[in-house]
Amino acid sequence: MSGLVEPPASAVSKTLTARVVSPGFETRPAALWHGLPGAALLAEPAGQIVGVVIGYAPRRLDVVPVTALLADERFRDLTGVAPWRLETIPGPPAVALATLLTPPP
């Protein structure tokens, strides 16, 4: 599915909103949506992790941004990823994503 991620309120924002723009969104089986929390939100085409889905509503996903995750010391310890390894992606405040969720490689 395709969508747009709205810009965070601040650099340390705790949540992002992804608006689903795919046609036919409402025809997807309900079981699909129940499995979304915990899924990675990826930016295309390079596949950078934007965040992790924590909730959903009609045409909207609530996402914890990767910056908020990496601000948590325990998360960094568990994943072994340092906060300075974040990659800044320049561009407009809202970026069209070719695919909001893709199957894992």
Side-chain angles (χ1 to χ4, degrees), residues 7-77:
S10 72
V12 292
S13 180
K14 299 292 183 195
T15 60
L16 295 172
T17 299
R19 290 183 292 117
V20 178
V21 297
S22 296
F25 168 80
E26 292 81 8
T27 62
R28 305 280 179 153
L32 172 70
W33 307 114
H34 297 301
L36 278 175
L41 179 70
L42 303 175
E44 292 293 339
Q48 295 99 340
I49 296 175
V50 174
V52 175
V53 176
I54 58 171
Y56 59 94
R59 294 214 166 266
R60 188 188 86 225
L61 300 177
D62 298 318
V63 179
V64 173
V66 71
T67 52
L69 293 172
L70 292 176
D72 182 280
E73 184 177 351
R74 180 74 177 134
F75 179 85
R76 291 192 314 267
D77 289 344

